């Protein structure tokens, strides 16, 4: 027999191309589909097509993003001889079997029957995300890091660069500075923490977040989002001695979110906390004019909880018993014992935040003043272009800031193309 079931799960998103199943990509949903098939809850003839079983999720998480309490929903197979009163116990046994065939980084916490009208996405009222922010993000920014790059013909220049990704690199010595600060658990001053808290609260309420996602016009109604709260809820230290690392737990509760929105909000707040930008910078970014907003590393972000209060209250009254889609103890244990250590190890290995802070130091140029001047000219009708800002990755905004070794390579490439174009064709 088929029953519509909701499953509360947690996972580490590292190594996956996101939650939602996508042909040719390694996804988290595919792992859960395979596990459910192995324990007999998905028939062979339904494998490979989640639409056949009415599969849906509370919300998509992007590549590398994690979850502590994600909710999946589908019509799954149960033995016909399972009585309704024995169903909860049987489902908990199934949870244990599912975990036995899942990778250790993916866990199922709870499974329960839901009404036919339940949707993991549409029945949700709001969502809560948490960002584990390294305390070194509140360290004073280093103006001296804005020094010019080394000479393009310096053979040692390449060795001095730390590659962030295919298009961005920073000076290795600046990355080392922040990595060293993190050892033993950096303690930011109280004023920096207060600036961070004030900046986060600036996002609360309804705002236009078109600058906090991709390819979104301010006139698009989808850019209007309501943030119920954005707070620092505490500090956590992982490890001991020199290996200890300290983090601030940032929790944002909103009705819905757009791609990159949370990471860009975190980045804005960090710039204000480090005094690289005034508090009014957030007002500029939330305005209707285009503004450049940097994006914080994504590996420290995770979905913390999805809220179904109205559904739970309604079903509890109908069945005269408490119904909950949460499993707080199991989820919290996964967060503390599995997720947090993984995040710390990942950040230590890849130097995501150390390199990102070095990037902010080197790329930040009187951004607020430029945007304010641009907006003033635009209001006068004297500005027809668009200032993309110091974080733009387009070539025309990077030529003066390109690492020396990369600039030399680009010059060689351009010279070769010019010579090729000047050579007469054989035809």
């Amino acid at each position: 027999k088929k029953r519509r079931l909701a499953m509360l799960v947690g996972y580490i998103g590292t190594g996956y191309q996101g939650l939602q199943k996508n042909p040719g990509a390694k996804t988290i949903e595919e792992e859960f589909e395979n596990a459910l098939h192995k324990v007999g809850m998905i028939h062979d003839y339904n494998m490979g097509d989640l639409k056949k079983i009415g599969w849906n999720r509370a919300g998509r998480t992007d590549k590398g993003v994690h979850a502590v309490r994600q909710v999946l929903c589908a019509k799954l197979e149960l033995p016909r001889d399972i009585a309704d009163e024995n169903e909860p116990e049987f489902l908990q046994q199934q949870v244990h079997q599912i975990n036995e065939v899942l990778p250790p980084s993916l866990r199922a916490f709870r499974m329960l029957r839901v009404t036919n009208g339940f949707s993991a996405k549409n029945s949700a009222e709001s969502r809560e995300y948490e960002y584990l922010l390294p305390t070194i993000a509140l360290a004073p920014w280093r103006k001296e890091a804005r020094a010019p790059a080394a000479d393009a013909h310096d053979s040692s220049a390449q060795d001095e660069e730390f590659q962030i990704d295919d298009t961005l690199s920073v000076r290795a010595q600046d990355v080392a500075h922040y990595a060293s600060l993190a050892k033993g658990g950096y303690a930011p001053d109280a004023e920096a923490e207060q600036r961070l808290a004030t900046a986060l609260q600036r996002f609360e309420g309804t705002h236009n977040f078109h600058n906090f996602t991709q390819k979104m016009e301010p006139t698009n109604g989808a850019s209007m989002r309501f943030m119920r709260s954005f707070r620092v809820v505490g500090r956590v230290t992982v490890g001991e001695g020199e290996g200890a690392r300290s983090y601030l737990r940032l929790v944002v509760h909103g009705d819905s979110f757009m791609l990159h929105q949370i990471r860009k909000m975190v980045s804005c707040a960090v710039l204000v906390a480090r005094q690289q930008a005034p508090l009014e910078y957030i007002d500029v970014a939330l305005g209707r004019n285009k503004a450049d907003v940097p994006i914080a590393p994504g590996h420290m972000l995770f979905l913390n909880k999805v809220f179904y209060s109205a559904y739970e209250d309604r079903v509890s009254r109908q069945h005269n018993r408490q119904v909950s889609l949460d499993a707080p103890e199991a989820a919290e244990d996964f967060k503390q014992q599995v997720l947090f250590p993984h995040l710390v190890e990942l950040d230590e290995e890849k130097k995501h935040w150390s390199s990102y802070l070095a990037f902010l130091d080197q790329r930040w140029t009187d951004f607020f003043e430029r945007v304010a001047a641009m907006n003033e000219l635009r209001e006068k009708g004297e500005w027809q272009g668009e200032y993309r800002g110091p974080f733009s990755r387009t070539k025309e905004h990077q030529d003066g800031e390109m690492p020396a070794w990369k600039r030399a390579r680009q010059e060689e490439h351009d010279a070769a193309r010019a010579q090729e174009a000047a050579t007469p064709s054989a035809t």
Side-chain angles (χ1 to χ4, degrees):
K1 60 182 180 182
K2 274 189 177 181
R3 291 289 184 266
R4 190 163 189 78
L5 303 174
M7 182 166 62
L8 184 71
V9 303
Y11 50 81
I12 291 175
T14 306
Y16 292 94
Q17 298 298 310
L19 168 67
Q20 190 170 10
K21 189 175 179 180
N22 190 16
K26 182 182 179 182
T27 64
I28 294 164
E29 281 188 341
E30 187 173 13
E31 297 276 18
F32 279 105
E33 180 189 23
N34 291 334
L36 289 167
H37 176 248
K38 288 178 181 178
V39 301
M41 300 190 78
I42 296 180
H43 265 305
D44 293 343
Y45 52 75
N46 284 329
M47 272 296 290
D49 189 353
L50 294 178
K51 291 181 180 178
K52 289 183 178 180
I53 57 175
W55 185 285
N56 58 86
R57 79 285 300 167
R60 290 179 294 181
T61 51
D62 303 324
K63 176 182 177 181
V65 178
H66 327 283
V68 172
R69 293 180 181 89
Q70 173 72 269
V71 178
L72 307 176
C73 182
K75 290 182 179 179
L76 302 174
E77 299 288 340
L78 296 181
R80 293 184 179 277
D81 57 352
I82 296 294
D84 289 350
E85 60 269 20
N86 297 328
E87 196 174 278
E89 182 180 352
F90 173 79
L91 290 177
Q92 197 56 38
Q93 293 173 359
Q94 290 295 89
V95 167
H96 292 306
Q97 290 190 33
I98 291 169
N99 285 333
E100 288 180 359
V101 297
L102 281 172
S105 59
L106 279 65
R107 296 288 90 181
F109 303 133
R110 191 174 185 197
M111 189 179 285
L112 74 161
R113 195 201 296 194
V114 292
T115 62
N116 289 332
F118 176 84
S119 166
K121 177 182 178 180
N122 298 330
S123 299
E125 301 162 21
S126 58
R127 294 154 182 83
E128 182 180 270
Y129 281 83
E130 185 168 333
Y131 194 99
L132 207 60
L133 181 70
T135 53
I136 58 169
L138 273 61
W141 73 294
R142 305 169 68 238
K143 297 181 180 180
E144 65 271 19
R146 293 166 58 182
D151 183 77
H153 302 290
D154 183 356
S155 60
S156 65
Q158 184 168 351
D159 295 334
E160 298 174 359
E161 300 293 332
F162 181 95
Q163 196 71 27
I164 296 179
D165 58 25
D166 293 339
T167 62
L168 292 176
S169 59
V170 292
R171 296 192 309 188
Q173 65 188 42
D174 297 323
V175 177
H177 166 77
Y178 287 109
S180 177
L181 275 185
K183 294 179 180 179
Y186 177 78
D189 63 61
E191 291 183 358
E193 289 196 49
Q194 183 56 52
R195 286 193 296 269
L196 176 69
T198 302
L200 294 177
Q201 290 179 34
R202 204 82 160 193
F203 292 108
E204 295 178 352
T206 301
H207 299 285
N208 191 322
F209 286 96
H210 72 99
N211 284 318
F212 291 78
T213 189
Q214 295 178 338
K215 301 177 181 178
M216 178 75 71
E217 292 299 321
T219 54
N220 190 328
S223 65
M224 301 300 295
R225 303 287 165 132
F226 176 60
M227 299 297 108
R228 302 188 179 204
S229 65
F230 202 171
R231 304 294 170 88
V232 180
V233 300
R235 184 184 299 186
V236 59
T237 299
V238 180
E240 299 178 352
E242 280 279 303
R245 299 293 183 271
S246 293
Y247 301 85
L248 295 173
R249 296 176 56 190
L250 315 185
V251 175
V252 56
H253 183 189
D255 289 0
S256 60
F257 299 89
M258 295 184 293
L259 178 67
H260 300 329
Q261 179 186 338
I262 298 173
R263 293 166 61 187
K264 289 197 169 196
M265 288 193 293
V266 169
S267 198
C268 278
V270 166
L271 288 171
V272 172
R274 304 178 84 213
Q275 295 185 296
Q276 279 188 274
L279 185 60
E280 291 76 15
Y281 163 57
I282 296 178
D283 299 330
V284 171
L286 291 173
R288 292 179 62 85
N289 290 327
K290 288 288 186 180
D292 186 31
V293 180
I295 181 171
H299 69 293
M300 306 303 270
L301 175 67
F302 58 91
L303 175 63
N304 191 49
K305 187 177 181 180
V306 184
F307 294 85
Y308 297 95
S309 302
Y311 173 83
E312 291 170 341
D313 291 344
R314 177 169 58 83
V315 176
S316 295
R317 289 195 304 270
Q318 290 176 351
H319 296 273
N320 199 27
R321 59 182 174 83
Q322 187 65 35
V323 174
S324 174
L325 292 169
D326 200 3
E329 292 184 5
E332 193 64 27
D333 183 66
F334 176 79
K335 181 196 295 187
Q336 298 289 340
Q337 303 300 323
V338 180
L339 181 57
F340 279 0
H342 172 78
L343 298 185
V344 174
E345 181 181 355
L346 187 64
D347 195 55
E348 184 67 14
E349 176 188 354
K350 302 294 185 180
K351 301 290 188 294
H352 287 301
W353 260 98
S354 295
S355 59
Y356 183 65
L357 293 172
F359 163 71
L360 292 182
D361 287 347
Q362 293 181 29
R363 288 293 180 92
W364 188 257
T365 58
D366 57 350
F367 170 75
F368 180 73
E369 289 80 2
R370 291 195 186 193
V371 171
M374 178 194 73
N375 290 340
E376 183 178 349
L377 289 174
R378 178 175 284 154
E379 290 174 0
K380 294 178 180 179
E382 300 174 8
W383 178 272
Q384 302 298 325
E386 177 180 311
Y387 172 62
R388 293 180 58 83
F391 303 106
S392 170
R393 296 188 180 205
T394 56
K395 181 179 182 299
E396 59 269 23
H397 289 91
Q398 286 191 26
D399 283 344
E401 302 163 313
M402 191 180 294
W405 63 271
K406 187 176 292 185
R407 186 166 62 250
R409 183 190 301 171
Q410 184 66 46
E411 290 173 354
E412 292 176 2
H413 175 74
D414 292 343
R417 290 291 299 272
Q419 183 177 357
E420 182 181 334
T423 302
S425 173
T427 59

